């Protein structure tokens, strides 16, 4: 596939030599260090500006900063994904093999983000002795999938960009968790954000059906343009998202709307009673 941007003749910031390993590696590293910078800046700002953050446990502070970093990446991904899904005529001309320079930029920087995400999550798991299987699997598949797209010069970009669009729920997830920790779970704003987040998860499920449709109608083109292990990885990851991860997260977020508990860090709750919650957690009973 010709790496030149077929949709525009004017120069742009995306017009780089993506056939060069140096360019792709540089953008991947830029993505890694940019989102590492977002993580650090979020920590500095939150420490200075909010007492809620200062009152959190160490592992919750890491989660707070990761949530904010994911939200920033979610904005980038949503813009890129919507442009590919609704606007770009070059990608729509052949969803299996067509490429765009702006897509190369997003593929490379997303690879850097998912590498950062995997490093951060596993270091956090190791340090705090925690493990979220669904999150770990989700981001491992995402990193390997985008790494495959960054390596393969023939890989089309439509499915890569629609995969990024799956991050549409991430900013709402970030806002939901932060407001929950701040004790705003009874506010209209938190409930509205939760409704929108649940809607985004339903949209994610619809988007995965669209991606299966694209795979079905462009099967030969995908087979010819993708390395077989990469294609198998994509199909397995898409199947996990469609059948397990998206339904599970949609269920959990709907539960959270009805019962606003931070299920990432909440302590086990006795079945016989449901005491009042503060900051999304169940307070300890005072000793008598």
């Amino acid at each position: 596939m010709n790496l030149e941007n077929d949709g525009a003749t004017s120069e742009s910031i995306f017009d780089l030599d993506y056939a060069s390993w140096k360019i792709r590696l540089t953008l991947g590293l830029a993505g890694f260090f940019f989102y590492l910078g977002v993580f650090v800046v979020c920590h500095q700002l939150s420490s200075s500006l909010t007492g809620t953050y200062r009152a959190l446990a160490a592992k919750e502070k890491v989660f707070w900063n990761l949530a904010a970093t994911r939200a920033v990446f979610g904005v980038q991904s949503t813009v890129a994904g919507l442009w590919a899904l609704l606007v770009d005529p070059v990608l729509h001309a052949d969803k299996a093999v067509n490429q765009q320079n702006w897509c190369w930029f997003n593929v490379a920087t997303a690879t850097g983000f998912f590498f950062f995400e995997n490093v951060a999550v596993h270091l956090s798991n190791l340090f705090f002795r925690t493990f979220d299987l669904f999150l770990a699997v989700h981001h491992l598949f995402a990193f390997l999938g985008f790494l495959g797209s960054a390596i393969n010069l023939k890989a089309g970009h439509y499915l890569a960009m629609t995969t990024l669009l799956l991050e549409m729920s991430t900013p709402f997830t970030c806002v939901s968790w932060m407001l929950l920790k701040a004790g705003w779970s009874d506010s209209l704003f938190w409930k509205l954000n939760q409704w929108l987040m649940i809607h985004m998860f339903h949209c994610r499920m619809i988007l995965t059906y669209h991606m299966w449709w694209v795979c079905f109608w462009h099967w030969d083109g995908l087979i010819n343009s993708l390395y077989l292990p990469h294609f198998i990885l994509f199909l397995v990851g898409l199947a996990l998202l469609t059948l397990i991860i998206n339904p599970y997260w949609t269920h959990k977020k709907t539960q959270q709307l009805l019962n606003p508990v931070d299920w990432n860090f909440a302590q086990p709750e006795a079945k016989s009673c449901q005491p009042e919650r503060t900051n999304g957690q169940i307070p300890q009973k005072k000793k008598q």
Side-chain angles (χ1 to χ4, degrees):
M1 178 65 192
N2 192 340
L3 292 176
E4 294 296 324
N5 188 325
D6 298 324
T9 57
S10 60
E11 292 185 1
S12 75
I13 60 171
F14 302 118
D15 289 338
L16 303 172
D17 180 16
Y18 294 103
S20 167
W21 274 99
K22 183 178 179 180
I23 294 294
R24 285 175 283 158
L25 180 59
T26 300
L27 287 174
L29 291 174
F32 177 89
F33 285 108
F34 173 79
Y35 284 106
L36 175 61
V38 172
F39 181 92
V40 173
V41 168
C42 178
H43 167 69
Q44 296 295 335
L45 290 177
S46 299
S47 297
S48 302
L49 299 176
T50 171
T52 298
Y53 180 81
R54 292 191 294 269
L56 296 176
K59 63 181 179 180
E60 291 178 310
K61 289 181 179 179
V62 171
F63 193 90
W64 175 292
N65 295 319
L66 280 176
T69 307
R70 291 166 185 156
V72 174
F73 178 70
V75 173
Q76 173 190 344
S77 300
T78 302
V79 172
L82 285 174
W83 190 265
L85 183 70
L86 303 176
V87 178
D88 197 292
V90 175
L91 297 183
H92 281 265
D94 191 330
K95 294 182 174 69
V97 299
N98 279 6
Q99 301 176 343
Q100 287 281 55
N101 283 344
W102 68 267
C103 296
W104 272 113
F105 179 88
N106 280 283
V107 165
T109 53
T111 304
F113 167 78
F114 284 119
F115 181 62
F116 161 77
E117 176 76 11
N118 278 272
V119 170
V121 166
H122 291 302
L123 285 178
S124 176
N125 288 339
L126 182 65
F127 189 81
F128 297 114
R129 297 185 180 183
T130 58
F131 187 68
D132 185 331
L133 178 62
F134 284 172
L135 188 65
V137 170
H138 169 62
H139 285 288
L140 177 62
F141 271 81
F143 170 65
L144 293 177
F146 276 90
L147 180 63
S149 292
I151 291 172
N152 184 3
L153 294 178
K154 297 191 301 179
H157 287 155
Y158 181 80
L159 284 174
M161 293 302 101
T162 51
T163 299
L164 283 183
L165 187 53
L166 292 170
E167 297 291 331
M168 69 179 87
S169 59
T170 311
F172 299 96
T173 304
C174 169
V175 172
S176 170
W177 190 80
M178 288 183 174
L179 292 179
L180 190 65
K181 302 310 292 183
W184 284 29
S185 59
D186 290 331
S187 68
L188 178 62
F189 183 71
W190 184 85
K191 293 177 181 177
L192 178 61
N193 178 79
Q194 199 77 5
W195 273 109
L196 289 172
M197 178 177 61
I198 293 168
H199 179 63
M200 290 300 104
F201 274 100
H202 284 98
C203 290
R204 281 170 58 116
M205 290 194 285
I206 295 171
L207 184 61
T208 57
Y209 304 149
H210 169 70
M211 294 166 73
W212 281 114
W213 180 87
V214 172
C215 290
F216 178 78
W217 286 106
H218 298 271
W219 189 267
D220 290 340
L222 293 170
I223 287 289
N224 293 329
S225 62
L226 298 178
Y227 301 130
L228 184 59
H230 185 199
F231 192 34
I232 293 174
L233 178 81
F234 173 78
L235 293 177
V236 172
L238 186 58
L240 288 173
L241 274 171
T242 306
L243 300 175
I244 299 176
I245 296 177
N246 277 343
Y248 172 77
W249 279 344
T250 304
H251 167 71
K252 293 292 287 185
K253 297 303 181 182
T254 305
Q255 265 190 331
Q256 194 176 51
L257 174 64
L258 303 174
N259 184 28
V261 173
D262 173 19
W263 45 272
N264 293 287
F265 298 103
Q267 298 297 320
E269 181 180 357
K271 294 182 179 179
S272 59
C273 60
Q274 293 185 346
E276 185 179 348
R277 297 172 178 81
T278 304
N279 292 346
Q281 294 195 10
I282 301 163
Q284 299 290 331
K285 289 185 177 180
K286 294 182 179 179
K287 293 183 179 179
Q288 301 193 6

